[in-house]
């Protein structure tokens, strides 16, 4: 099973700040890593798929990079609606599909 | 637009059964594989089960193998999760999500809460 670790667990920032979130895999997942945004009581929202591709309708301030075992999600300038929990997810080796433990971007 | 709506959650005693449904609309259901993913209180997302677009195979996380069954009814555009022998640790919000092939799930429902408690 591929284990994903995310850092930091909590990121305390202000609107307008740049956010850099990290996801590390226990073994290579090639490019097959996605990022999701999740707010309480809402459906998770796909932001980035296959490491660096923005999903439909996702603003350009969200970007993803990395390959193999190390990945980064960058939010260039935080908007008030970006405060949420972010999960990485791998589909390279399954089952099981796995998620990271999440990074909470906090105000 | 794409919609996924889960239902069937509730409070159930340990050892009992529950069936979740996920009704979909706004896309060609038979073209998509479907996942169930859960989130226990205060925890992160955990993948539970996946069924291919054609129902040809199913996959489960180890903790639910032999207890949960995913199925689909393309005539109703609905995916199900039959949960038997429920345990306290199955308490979670359960989400359904669609996927094209084995791509990352791209649309999710709002979830349904399952509480297993005596």
């Amino acid at each position: 099973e591929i284990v994903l670790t995310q850092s930091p667990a909590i990121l305390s920032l202000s609107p307008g700040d740049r956010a850099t979130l990290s996801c590390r895999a226990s073994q290579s997942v090639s490019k097959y890593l996605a990022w999701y945004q999740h707010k309480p009581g809402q459906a998770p929202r796909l932001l980035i798929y296959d490491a660096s591709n923005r999903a439909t309708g996702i603003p350009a301030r969200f970007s993803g990079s990395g390959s193999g075992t190390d990945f980064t999600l960058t939010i260039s300038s935080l908007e008030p609606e970006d405060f949420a929990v972010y999960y990485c997810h791998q589909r390279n080796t399954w089952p099981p599909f796995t998620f990271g433990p999440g990074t909470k971007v906090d105000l | 637009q794409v919609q996924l709506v889960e239902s069937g959650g509730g409070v159930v005693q340990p050892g009992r059964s529950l069936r979740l449904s996920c009704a979909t609309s706004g896309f060609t259901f038979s073209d998509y594989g479907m996942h169930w993913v859960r989130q226990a209180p205060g925890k992160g997302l955990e993948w539970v089960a996946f069924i291919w677009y054609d129902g040809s195979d199913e996959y489960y996380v180890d903790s639910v193998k032999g207890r949960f069954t995913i199925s689909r009814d393309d005539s109703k555009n609905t995916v199900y999760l039959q949960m038997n022998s429920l345990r306290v640790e199955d308490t979670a919000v359960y989400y359904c999500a669609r996927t094209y092939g084995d791509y990352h799930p791209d649309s999710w429902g709002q979830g349904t809460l399952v509480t297993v408690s005596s």
Side-chain angles (χ1 to χ4, degrees), chain B residues 41-56:
Chain B
K43 303 294 185 182
L45 300 173
E46 179 187 36
W47 171 78
V48 174
F50 170 65
I51 187 167
W52 280 109
Y53 71 100
D54 59 359
S56 59

Side-chain angles (χ1 to χ4, degrees), chain A residues 32-34 36 38 41-46 49-50 87 89-91 94-101, chain B residues 35 37 39 43-47 50 52 59-62 65 95 102-110:
Chain A
Y32 302 117
L33 188 110
Y36 292 89
H38 194 202
Q42 296 189 18
R45 179 189 182 197
L46 177 65
Y49 65 93
D50 290 353
Y87 295 95
H89 168 263
Q90 69 83 22
R91 67 175 184 93
W94 62 273
F97 296 92
T98 51
F99 291 90
Chain B
H35 293 270
V37 176
Q39 184 177 34
K43 303 294 185 182
L45 300 173
E46 179 187 36
W47 171 78
F50 170 65
W52 280 109
Y59 306 85
Y60 302 91
V61 69
D62 283 349
K65 278 180 187 174
Y95 299 94
D102 67 345
Y103 284 25
H104 301 290
D106 65 349
S107 291
W108 299 57
Q110 303 267 23

Side-chain angles (χ1 to χ4, degrees), chain B residues 25-99:
Chain B
S25 60
F27 64 99
T28 304
F29 181 72
S30 57
D31 285 348
Y32 286 82
M34 297 297 297
H35 293 270
W36 286 97
V37 176
R38 67 186 178 183
Q39 184 177 34
K43 303 294 185 182
L45 300 173
E46 179 187 36
W47 171 78
V48 174
F50 170 65
I51 187 167
W52 280 109
Y53 71 100
D54 59 359
S56 59
D57 214 342
E58 311 145 27
Y59 306 85
Y60 302 91
V61 69
D62 283 349
S63 60
V64 309
K65 278 180 187 174
R67 300 189 299 123
F68 289 12
T69 302
I70 188 172
S71 62
R72 60 190 296 148
D73 184 340
D74 288 4
S75 69
K76 296 182 178 178
N77 294 334
T78 298
V79 63
Y80 303 98
L81 187 68
Q82 177 67 43
M83 304 186 295
N84 298 333
S85 303
L86 281 160
R87 303 169 180 169
V88 171
E89 55 265 33
D90 295 320
T91 294
V93 175
Y94 284 75
Y95 299 94
C96 63
R98 75 168 193 179
T99 182

